[in-house]
Amino acid sequence: MNFLPLIEAKRDGVRLSELQIQAAVAAFTRGEIPDYQMAAWLMAVYFRGLDAGETRALTLAMQSSGETLRFPDDARPLADKHSTGGVGDKVSLPLAPLLACLGLRVPMISGRGLGITGGTLDKLESIPGFQTQLSPDRIVQQVQEIGCCICGQTSQMTPADRALYSLRDVTGTVPSIPLIVASILSKKLAENLDALLLDVKFGAAAFMKTQGEARTLARAMVDLGNECGVKTRALLTRMDAPLGRAAGNWLEVMESIEILENRGPDDLRELVIECAAHLMVQSQLCDDLDEARQRSVECLSSGAPRRKWNEMLDWQSADLDAFEEKLNGAHHAPFTQELRASHSGFVLRCDARIIGEVVRDLGGGRLTKDSLINHAVGVDKIAKPGEKAEKNGVLCRIHAAQHSDLASAVAQLAAAFEIGDNAPEIAPIIAEIVE
């Protein structure tokens, strides 16, 4: 196709038709539009935007650019959750087996981390033998048999999104709400879900810095998801402090197991239970959130989600004996050092962005998509805002691959914590629900 007129039209603020967008996405997926022209169009979209109709057309064109998951008829609803990403955000790991035990089917298609944002697949790949790449048929089979899987996007699912994202990443066009909406929802619509919960984070270590920005993104995704036949809602959650007390791939897996064993940090446990409760209400398995929360808490207490987790690992080729041995041995990085408080008081601030940068610099995150990940490094025992800090008490513990990395990490992390005389008022982790 002659793509130049569409570049010029969007450059000049002209609305594109559904057919024009469909044709452009199909041609780009077939390799008939060069990257430099699509990059120009993406920049025009970044500055001019897309209206709701254009965003819907782009989303559906991307969703239909490849394979979709096809599940047999089943009384169990299909549900998934997507997070916009943060530091210490490991909610998906305990949530998937919990939802499966609550009577949902969960085909959780997840991604990798970039920069300070942790990736679910990177965490899972710290488990010996765990396979994140499954064929569509295998995803459907596993979900039908045991109720859940957590895996990566298949090579033929939404190939248009994969190609467009790689261009957005190198052309400065990632922070475009219509392009974000299309990227996220095209992948989720390809799962053929009944219900979708979006965890849209805002704050120091989030993509969206303010609650207002997060609300704008959430509203766009919720409206379009529901318009496309998926019961969709969003939680706006704070990401100024890390979620839980650990950041780093294997450290976060260990903390996820604590949640599945009915232990673990209160904030992480709360968000896991809230996500489960909302998806149960959206899927009409419960009439209200109070009932759904109670059932979620009882299910966690039963031990069934922990057993379901092992079942999922077994299906995805993990070495369960090696996993349990690694879990019981704690398997930390070779060098550790604690950051201690210089004086007593209350933790006023625990900056998630700084902690995420330290984890990344230790080797636990990516500066580029090709960066190699060290799964063992990270930061744990993180003191949270509102907690009492004693002089010489532990504010966090660093796990490093090289002894030489410890000094710089300590210096960086010292700036992440602020201690004062009076306990701060702590805002709830869920700031708002967008329905």
Side-chain angles (χ1 to χ4, degrees):
M1 68 180 296
N2 181 6
F3 192 51
L4 180 59
L6 272 67
I7 299 173
E8 294 172 336
K10 186 46 61 181
R11 178 199 65 194
D12 297 337
V14 176
R15 185 185 188 280
L16 301 180
S17 72
E18 182 178 352
L19 288 176
Q20 286 175 315
I21 292 173
Q22 287 175 344
V25 171
F28 180 63
T29 305
R30 292 192 301 265
E32 297 170 6
I33 295 174
D35 284 357
Y36 60 82
Q37 280 196 310
M38 184 54 72
W41 186 78
L42 291 170
M43 188 60 74
V45 169
Y46 177 81
F47 284 111
R48 289 292 192 172
L50 299 174
D51 68 17
E54 290 175 304
T55 303
R56 182 180 190 275
L58 178 60
T59 302
L60 293 179
M62 290 164 61
Q63 178 239 334
S64 61
S65 66
E67 296 176 340
T68 58
L69 299 180
R70 298 292 178 185
F71 291 90
D73 291 338
D74 193 310
R76 296 170 297 169
L78 286 156
D80 198 359
K81 161 255 174 195
H82 176 84
S83 170
T84 57
V87 175
D89 180 9
K90 71 282 291 180
V91 168
S92 293
L93 276 64
L95 179 63
L98 172 60
L99 291 172
C101 292
L102 289 167
L104 291 153
R105 290 176 292 166
V106 188
M108 190 173 282
I109 308 296
S110 299
R112 301 189 182 280
L114 188 62
I116 67 168
T117 299
T120 298
L121 298 185
D122 300 316
K123 304 183 209 305
L124 289 169
E125 287 175 351
S126 70
I127 297 170
F130 190 94
Q131 296 297 312
T132 59
Q133 296 306 306
L134 306 177
S135 69
D137 288 346
R138 180 55 188 265
I139 294 171
V140 171
Q141 180 190 12
Q142 180 173 329
V143 169
Q144 287 301 116
E145 288 288 335
I146 69 168
C148 64
C149 78
I150 309 177
C151 61
Q153 183 179 354
T154 74
S155 61
Q156 293 305 311
M157 282 183 71
T158 58
D161 173 64
R162 190 179 301 105
L164 286 171
Y165 192 90
S166 65
L167 280 183
R168 289 169 57 207
D169 195 41
V170 297
T171 57
T173 54
V174 169
S176 162
I177 284 182
L179 296 178
I180 295 170
V181 170
S183 179
I184 292 173
L185 286 187
S186 64
K187 293 191 285 285
K188 294 305 174 184
L189 293 175
E191 298 175 20
N192 279 303
L193 300 172
D194 297 305
L196 172 64
L197 182 68
L198 301 160
D199 179 359
V200 182
K201 299 192 178 297
F202 67 93
F207 185 67
M208 297 295 174
K209 298 305 177 190
T210 68
Q211 186 172 340
E213 292 172 338
R215 184 187 303 116
T216 299
L217 174 58
R219 172 53 59 197
M221 290 194 288
V222 167
D223 288 348
L224 182 53
N226 281 288
E227 185 183 340
C228 293
V230 180
K231 295 182 179 69
T232 308
R233 68 174 61 171
L235 307 180
L236 307 189
T237 64
R238 293 179 169 85
M239 185 37 72
D240 288 313
L243 186 59
R245 296 187 184 276
N249 296 291
W250 174 245
L251 298 174
E252 292 185 49
V253 170
M254 290 197 296
E255 193 164 76
S256 298
I257 297 302
E258 291 180 10
I259 297 297
L260 289 169
E261 294 178 346
N262 206 29
R263 303 179 288 124
D266 290 342
D267 58 345
L268 176 59
R269 177 183 166 86
E270 176 189 350
L271 192 51
V272 169
I273 290 170
E274 286 297 309
C275 286
H278 278 275
L279 281 168
M280 290 181 72
V281 170
Q282 289 169 255
S283 302
Q284 299 180 310
L285 294 181
C286 286
D287 293 330
D288 59 64
L289 285 172
D290 286 340
E291 177 193 356
R293 289 187 190 104
Q294 181 178 348
R295 284 183 56 185
S296 300
V297 169
E298 290 172 353
C299 188
L300 270 181
S301 301
S302 74
R306 176 66 166 93
R307 295 190 293 272
K308 181 65 68 176
W309 165 269
N310 275 13
E311 195 175 2
M312 182 180 74
L313 263 58
D314 188 41
W315 268 76
Q316 293 185 237
S317 304
D319 184 332
L320 286 174
D321 289 338
F323 171 68
E324 294 293 342
E325 182 180 344
K326 184 176 180 180
L327 197 62
N328 294 329
H331 192 79
H332 299 311
F335 301 97
T336 62
Q337 184 169 334
E338 293 174 336
L339 173 69
R340 295 182 175 271
S342 60
H343 57 282
S344 299
F346 291 92
V347 178
L348 304 181
R349 182 175 60 89
C350 169
D351 193 312
R353 171 159 290 277
I354 294 176
I355 291 173
E357 289 169 349
V358 168
V359 174
R360 177 200 64 198
D361 295 345
L362 288 169
R366 289 182 177 84
L367 289 170
T368 71
K369 288 186 177 180
D370 297 325
S371 299
L372 294 177
I373 292 288
N374 185 324
H375 294 107
V377 301
V379 179
D380 68 353
K381 295 187 175 181
I382 298 171
K384 305 297 285 290
E387 295 178 343
K388 190 79 169 65
E390 301 293 342
K391 184 177 181 180
N392 294 321
V394 175
L395 295 177
C396 68
R397 179 174 59 173
I398 303 153
H399 300 257
Q402 306 291 333
H403 188 271
S404 58
D405 293 336
L406 292 173
S408 60
V410 167
Q412 284 178 271
L413 287 168
F417 292 91
E418 181 181 352
I419 297 174
D421 294 333
N422 300 312
E425 184 176 339
I426 304 300
I429 189 168
I430 299 174
E432 188 175 338
I433 300 169
V434 178
E435 299 185 67

